[in-house]
Amino acid sequence: MTGNGLANNWHGIRNASIDLNDDGLHNGSQGVAFVQSHDEIGAFLSNVAHAYVLMRPGNALVYLNAEEFGPTGNFSKPGKDDALGGFYGETITKLVQLRNTHGRGDFRERWIDDAFNPNGFSNVYIYERSNSAIVGLNSRNDAFVETSSGVQTDFAANTILVELTGNAADPVVDPGGTIPDTIRVNGAGQVDISIPGNNPHGRGYVIYGLPNPHGSLSLSNVASQLAGSTPAAITNGSARLNSIGVIHADFFEVMLNTTPVSVIDPSTQLLVRDFHADGDSAVLKLDGGLDLNNLAGVDHTVPGNVSYGFEEFTDSRNPGYLDDGNGNNIGTGSGTYVQTIDATQLSEGRHYLTARAFRQRDSGPVIFTDFKQAIYIDRLPPEADPISFEPFASAPGVLENRDLVVASTDRTADNMHLFLDLPQGLSDAQVLALALDGQQDAGTYDVDSRIFGFTGVTTGNHVATVVTFEPTFDGIHGINVQRFPGMFTATGIGAGFW
């Protein structure tokens, strides 16, 4: 996968994986596939290489150098900038998504092009995840579109497949409009596949697969939003890309609405309905898997299953595709799935919802769509607790200079203001006003704790006042003023007890 397309040859790649070492099969039974690492910068045609390894069976990873210790040079190597999406684009996140939704079915090598050289030189490689997706890869480093005709598949005749990466619809990748958005399987189970070269975009691949469900996920009792932002290069790994719904209520409702799916018939260029893509079931997961419907534990607990950690929707469950028991679809195309969640059973702070809607299939690998939202539970004030009031580490022996370290016990604080020995008569509103004025803004001590240094601390008991802010602060919610008396110090200043 070098910058010289004339030197790239899929014959040198197709059987080089350690996966074949144990049983001779492309089945993911051995090894972990990767394109680049902390030691190696990786392939020049990095996107093509990632498409190749991510859609194959077995374990694969995308290397990201988070630069948590600052920019790096020769070691460790730079990572894939777009591994998280955001500022650098969605190329890799889209490939990871397609690996999850369509990366199933046995590996079938379908095409390796020997036309250019009798010794077996090839810039085109096509493989299938049986009855799920066709992956077309091009290692040319020019703008030429390669077309392979009569590529065999395991799909049924007349099945319409959709180009899933978006490359076919992208005028940068396909300025001539020669790559179809959809292809139809002929009577012999074959398709024609056109694959872009890599100049100037580096996305010389297409992935055609069965359409998956469409729709949207919504929540009730959302009081406000933590707004998303547009990342810049310097904030790419830290900017919040999507808004987060804030919930103050004790309960909220999750609703997944799926919509009828239509695809373009490549022979007529007219829209035709794909009823199976309307979906016949859906499940819901919060975080790593919690009991959301009170059915005595998480519903799906078989490791490796695509529903592992998920719950059934029990309030309402009306699929878009509905079998009448005789193989006939009597669904409307529009699905509705509803689940009420008890927020009092959830910890304060961020949680992550995934609703997974499945394409109806009588046989073949599971295909689905994930609908995701982050939420923020903010029913209670943020809690804090002092964990240390020791002399400055930078000035040993000077007992009167003290660092007050306070932990966010519910791990929701994004800011604290720390005060010592405020006048007794100050109300919470007056203390909050001091904090809002920026006074005694604590610095970061650890991931969930803050620090502020006080000088000239006298011997005796002291009262610490802690003002804790959450990201959800709106003047009413996301704030707490706490007082902690009886913090004794022996410093050498003042007479102390006698």
Side-chain angles (χ1 to χ4, degrees):
M1 300 287 97
T2 71
N4 180 2
L6 296 176
N8 295 332
N9 189 348
W10 285 103
H11 283 280
I13 299 173
R14 57 198 281 252
N15 291 324
S17 170
I18 196 175
D19 182 26
L20 279 70
N21 180 66
D22 58 340
D23 55 17
L25 301 175
H26 295 274
N27 59 6
S29 60
Q30 193 171 60
V32 178
F34 60 93
V35 175
Q36 59 190 102
S37 72
H38 58 285
D39 287 319
E40 299 292 340
I41 197 68
F44 178 83
L45 297 179
S46 179
N47 292 329
V48 179
H50 276 95
Y52 171 68
V53 302
L54 285 171
M55 290 302 294
R56 286 164 48 92
N59 295 311
L61 58 83
V62 178
Y63 169 62
L64 169 68
N65 183 348
E67 296 190 347
E68 63 268 42
F69 304 115
T72 55
N74 290 328
F75 184 86
S76 56
K77 299 293 185 183
K80 196 75 171 72
D81 287 338
D82 58 348
L84 301 176
F87 179 78
Y88 295 101
E90 309 296 328
T91 297
I92 290 298
T93 52
K94 185 65 176 179
L95 288 172
V96 172
Q97 174 191 330
L98 294 180
R99 172 185 173 84
N100 293 336
T101 61
H102 287 76
R104 286 172 196 82
D106 290 342
F107 179 89
R108 303 270 196 265
E109 185 177 273
R110 293 305 191 185
W111 186 280
I112 185 162
D113 194 352
D114 298 334
F116 299 106
N117 189 311
N119 295 321
F121 178 81
S122 174
N123 277 129
V124 173
Y125 189 58
I126 300 172
Y127 66 84
E128 178 183 0
R129 297 303 300 272
S130 177
N131 205 10
S132 182
I134 298 281
V135 181
L137 306 158
N138 188 349
S139 64
R140 293 179 67 123
N141 209 12
D142 56 16
F144 187 78
V145 176
E146 295 272 14
T147 298
S148 300
S149 302
V151 178
Q152 189 62 48
T153 78
D154 286 341
F155 291 103
N158 294 316
T159 300
I160 296 177
L161 304 178
V162 175
E163 206 288 301
L164 300 167
T165 70
N167 285 347
D170 191 329
V172 175
V173 178
D174 184 29
T178 59
I179 302 173
D181 293 339
T182 58
I183 55 177
R184 181 186 284 275
V185 180
N186 67 19
Q190 299 173 337
V191 293
D192 298 340
I193 295 185
S194 297
I195 314 170
N198 286 280
N199 186 22
H201 43 74
R203 286 184 281 159
Y205 57 88
V206 290
I207 300 175
Y208 287 93
L210 292 167
N212 42 356
H214 299 175
S216 61
L217 186 66
S218 61
L219 307 175
S220 69
N221 288 339
V222 175
S224 61
Q225 298 280 344
L226 295 177
S229 62
T230 301
I234 195 170
T235 62
N236 184 60
S238 58
R240 183 187 301 127
L241 300 182
N242 298 303
S243 296
I244 299 177
V246 179
I247 294 173
H248 303 310
D250 289 346
F251 294 88
F252 64 97
E253 189 177 80
V254 179
M255 177 179 290
L256 172 64
N257 290 306
T258 58
T259 56
V261 176
S262 297
V263 296
I264 297 174
D265 185 334
S267 60
T268 65
Q269 294 301 301
L270 298 176
L271 285 174
V272 296
R273 286 278 285 111
D274 185 337
F275 297 100
H276 299 278
D278 296 341
D280 61 354
S281 62
V283 288
L284 179 69
K285 181 168 71 172
L286 186 68
D287 302 334
L290 298 172
D291 181 9
L292 304 176
N293 54 23
N294 296 316
L295 294 180
V298 175
D299 295 343
H300 295 278
T301 58
V302 178
N305 189 284
V306 295
S307 295
Y308 178 71
F310 281 83
E311 294 280 274
E312 296 292 336
F313 286 88
T314 56
D315 290 356
S316 180
R317 185 182 183 86
N318 300 301
Y321 184 101
L322 186 62
D323 195 309
D324 66 356
N326 297 310
N328 301 310
N329 174 34
I330 57 173
T332 65
S334 298
T336 302
Y337 306 84
V338 180
Q339 183 63 51
T340 301
I341 297 179
D342 184 355
T344 67
Q345 301 303 305
L346 303 179
S347 62
E348 293 284 293
R350 292 172 178 81
H351 295 272
Y352 304 92
L353 276 166
T354 301
R356 180 165 290 178
F358 296 94
R359 178 185 173 90
Q360 191 279 330
R361 303 206 73 180
D362 293 327
S363 62
V366 171
I367 290 174
F368 58 81
T369 301
D370 279 345
F371 302 88
K372 299 185 177 184
Q373 280 198 29
I375 61 174
Y376 194 107
I377 302 297
D378 183 21
R379 298 174 48 255
L380 305 172
E383 294 291 334
D385 190 29
I387 58 176
S388 176
F389 195 33
E390 298 298 324
F392 289 177
S394 59
V398 182
L399 302 180
E400 65 270 19
N401 296 337
R402 299 278 174 142
D403 281 327
L404 177 58
V405 180
V406 180
S408 171
T409 55
D410 62 4
R411 311 182 73 176
T412 63
D414 71 342
N415 192 18
M416 289 184 187
H417 293 254
L418 310 183
F419 301 91
L420 195 65
D421 298 333
L422 289 177
Q424 184 177 0
L426 285 184
S427 66
D428 286 357
Q430 289 172 310
V431 175
L432 176 58
L434 296 177
L436 293 175
D437 191 44
Q439 295 186 36
Q440 300 188 199
D441 190 1
T444 299
Y445 180 74
D446 204 343
V447 64
D448 290 311
S449 57
R450 301 294 191 274
I451 185 171
F452 192 87
F454 295 92
T455 59
V457 177
T458 61
T459 296
N461 284 310
H462 301 276
V463 178
T465 301
V466 179
V467 183
T468 306
F469 292 92
E470 290 184 75
T472 56
F473 175 65
D474 59 7
I476 300 174
H477 303 93
I479 178 69
N480 198 8
V481 178
Q482 296 172 271
R483 292 170 175 83
F484 299 93
M487 300 185 64
F488 178 76
T489 58
T491 68
I493 298 179
F497 292 114
W498 58 281

